[in-house]
Amino acid sequence: MGKSSDRARHKAKDVTHQIFGPTCKIVVKKATNLKNKLKFGTIDPYCEVTFENHTKKTKAKEDAKNPEWNEELLFPRANTESVKVQVKVYHEESLGKDKLLAYGTGTINGYSRSDWHDVEIKLIDAKQRATDGVVSLGVGGGAGAGEADQDDEQGDEEYEDEEEEMVEEDAGGGGGGAAKYGKKKK
């Protein structure tokens, strides 16, 4: 990863933590065995995830009964060890209201720890009938107060060193140069 992308990642992590406090990271990996309930055409599914009264969704995948999203969603989290997560898979309509294909609920235990958990949620259809569909999630503690892992701490130190090197340079009155922004030297 380049220096600018590392810097952006660290700034995004800092902003997320400042806005939400501790977070839970949910990676919506994939769904398998989705049924096409449409009268015409193919399904363009997306997944909507509700975690502790917050809802986010993935992008739609065109023509996919087994979509692979691999999208990371960050949610604010409470200080509990166990929480329910609900997933709903919709077909994205180009005109009109999106159609619910299937949904399911699962319990995530120990999500507040730094451990990574793989969770599979079995789906039922909109008429509450069992299906063969499954949504696969990856769940981790995310960023939280005092929970930074060793890699993040090392990355933070590298980022701080880099910030000190990137001080706004004096253009010498000539202008026209690209200014560099960063932390002022002490």
Side-chain angles (χ1 to χ4, degrees), residues 110-161:
Y111 78 94
S112 64
R113 299 184 202 118
S114 61
D115 298 337
W116 189 255
H117 303 274
D118 288 315
V119 178
E120 288 195 339
I121 298 177
K122 293 183 180 185
L123 302 173
I124 57 176
D125 68 15
K127 295 182 179 178
Q128 298 184 344
R129 296 178 297 211
T131 71
D132 292 331
V134 174
V135 170
S136 299
L137 307 173
V139 181
E147 293 182 2
D149 62 18
Q150 206 167 19
D151 290 339
D152 281 343
E153 288 172 4
Q154 181 181 358
D156 288 341
E157 288 170 10
E158 290 172 4
Y159 172 64
E160 287 167 5
D161 291 343

Side-chain angles (χ1 to χ4, degrees), residues 33-184:
N33 301 318
L34 296 178
K35 300 288 184 215
N36 184 350
K37 301 280 185 176
L38 304 177
K39 291 181 182 178
F40 302 102
T42 58
I43 57 173
D44 302 329
Y46 67 88
C47 186
E48 181 180 274
V49 178
T50 302
F51 179 84
E52 293 188 335
N53 300 319
H54 297 276
T55 301
K56 297 187 178 192
K57 66 181 185 176
T58 66
K59 294 178 182 169
K61 294 289 182 178
E62 290 186 28
D63 190 14
K65 289 184 181 179
N66 297 299
E68 292 189 18
W69 294 288
N70 293 312
E71 288 189 39
E72 183 178 297
L73 306 174
L74 288 177
F75 292 90
R77 71 166 199 238
N79 294 320
T80 60
E81 287 293 314
S82 176
V83 71
K84 288 190 179 197
V85 62
Q86 182 181 50
V87 296
K88 292 181 180 179
V89 180
Y90 288 91
H91 163 68
E92 183 178 63
E93 290 284 351
S94 54
L95 298 171
K97 186 178 177 182
D98 293 350
K99 180 175 180 152
L100 177 65
L101 298 173
Y103 67 96
T105 303
T107 301
I108 300 170
N109 295 311
Y111 78 94
S112 64
R113 299 184 202 118
S114 61
D115 298 337
W116 189 255
H117 303 274
D118 288 315
V119 178
E120 288 195 339
I121 298 177
K122 293 183 180 185
L123 302 173
I124 57 176
D125 68 15
K127 295 182 179 178
Q128 298 184 344
R129 296 178 297 211
T131 71
D132 292 331
V134 174
V135 170
S136 299
L137 307 173
V139 181
E147 293 182 2
D149 62 18
Q150 206 167 19
D151 290 339
D152 281 343
E153 288 172 4
Q154 181 181 358
D156 288 341
E157 288 170 10
E158 290 172 4
Y159 172 64
E160 287 167 5
D161 291 343
E162 187 178 319
E163 270 189 328
E164 289 177 10
E165 293 172 7
M166 293 180 61
V167 175
E168 185 175 353
E169 294 178 356
D170 182 14
K180 295 182 183 177
Y181 298 94
K183 189 174 172 182
K184 292 184 180 179

